[in-house]
Amino acid sequence: MPVNIAIDGPAGAGKSSVSKLVAKELGYIYVDTGALYRAVGLYALNTGADTKNAAEVEATLPAIKVELKFLEGEQRVYLNGNDVSEAIRAPEASMAASDVSAVPAVRAFLFDLQRNIAAENNCVMDGRDIGTVVLPDAQIKIFLTASPEERAGRRYRELIAKGAEVDFQQVLEEMKQRDFNDSNRAVAPLKPAEDAAIIDTTGFSLQESAGLLIKHIRKNLK
Ligand code: DC
């Protein structure tokens, strides 16, 4: 049976960067499930659907095909055959992803895709409900977190490095808004699984954070 490592936590906790390093170290694939919600959000945006209207979002699903491909260990996400791996990183796509992820039909739509990848591959999968809903039997569950200011600072620097024009205060406000949405929605809210190890990366570098996780995984993986 493949080894599945579930990593959940709020936006900006360093999940994707840390998970990538951990996956590389272990020789597993890294699955970023946020990209799936972002692809659905992007489709809704592009077609002019109101992302806050659950019925409108649900109505878009029959026209959507989302696929993940792994090229040399790197995940690419395809929306109706087009590689949208970069487009889904725009700030508008982040908020749209948060909106559509609250729609139960969207979560159901993306469920099998995530489960099937985990059933076939040793993987580090990150998201919000991986340990609680998608992979409740994962051998290792980690809830990665950091203070809102630290998380907003990381996201801000990431966006600036990509040439985006953003304001720190706005990034922090959006981060808090997304935290609230993600933690308070009725379906699969963001919360640690009962058997998850909670790891706070405030003040730790990326390398240090990855080191903490690898140590935890090696110690607990039987
Ligand atoms: O990790 P991210 O920022 O790319 O995620 C984008 C949005 O998708 C985020 O607001 C919450 C949602 N999401 C989710 O509800 N469940 C997941 N497993 C992954 C992401």
Side-chain angles (χ1 to χ4, degrees):
M1 212 173 78
V3 178
N4 293 163
I5 297 176
I7 302 191
D8 293 300
K15 290 190 304 293
S16 62
S17 318
V18 170
S19 301
K20 255 184 223 166
L21 284 182
V22 170
K24 199 165 183 196
E25 173 77 19
L26 299 173
Y28 295 2
I29 61 166
Y30 161 58
V31 187
D32 162 18
T33 64
L36 302 171
Y37 293 91
R38 287 170 177 270
V40 173
L42 185 67
Y43 185 88
L45 277 183
N46 289 347
T47 55
D50 176 0
T51 56
K52 295 195 188 305
N53 181 318
E56 271 190 42
V57 171
E58 187 170 347
T60 64
L61 295 176
I64 301 182
K65 186 171 175 203
V66 182
E67 293 164 288
L68 291 183
K69 294 185 186 168
F70 296 89
L71 305 175
E72 288 165 16
E74 207 201 324
Q75 171 182 303
R76 307 296 297 180
V77 57
Y78 289 77
L79 174 62
N80 293 340
N82 298 314
D83 186 341
V84 292
S85 309
E86 272 80 39
I88 57 168
R89 299 294 155 198
E92 311 82 74
S94 300
M95 202 46 87
S98 181
D99 289 341
V100 303
S101 71
V103 179
V106 171
R107 306 203 71 85
F109 176 73
L110 297 173
F111 185 78
D112 287 347
L113 173 56
Q114 300 170 76
R115 277 290 270 263
N116 293 342
I117 292 172
E120 288 163 11
N121 301 277
N122 288 336
C123 70
V124 175
M125 185 176 284
D126 90 20
R128 302 296 189 287
D129 62 338
I130 308 307
T132 49
V133 178
V134 179
L135 304 177
D137 298 326
Q139 289 89 333
I140 301 278
K141 297 181 188 178
I142 293 168
F143 192 84
L144 202 63
T145 186
S147 71
E149 288 71 20
E150 170 114 3
R151 293 188 286 112
R154 291 175 186 167
R155 188 51 58 99
Y156 173 75
R157 289 189 293 276
E158 221 173 82
L159 290 167
I160 292 287
K162 283 184 192 153
E165 282 184 28
V166 284
D167 169 67
F168 175 74
Q169 215 49 41
Q170 192 191 339
V171 174
L172 179 60
E173 283 316 309
E174 283 184 8
M175 183 76 71
K176 287 183 175 168
Q177 183 60 46
R178 278 216 289 156
D179 282 355
F180 183 84
N181 288 355
D182 297 346
S183 308
N184 290 281
R185 66 183 177 217
V187 261
L190 171 66
K191 63 163 197 250
E194 271 175 22
D195 50 351
I198 298 180
I199 300 183
D200 188 323
T201 66
T202 307
F204 287 105
S205 71
L206 172 57
Q207 297 292 343
E208 288 167 334
S209 306
L212 288 177
L213 266 71
I214 288 167
K215 202 166 146 203
H216 172 80
I217 293 166
R218 293 233 158 96
K219 191 166 146 217
N220 292 280
L221 199 57
K222 295 182 183 77

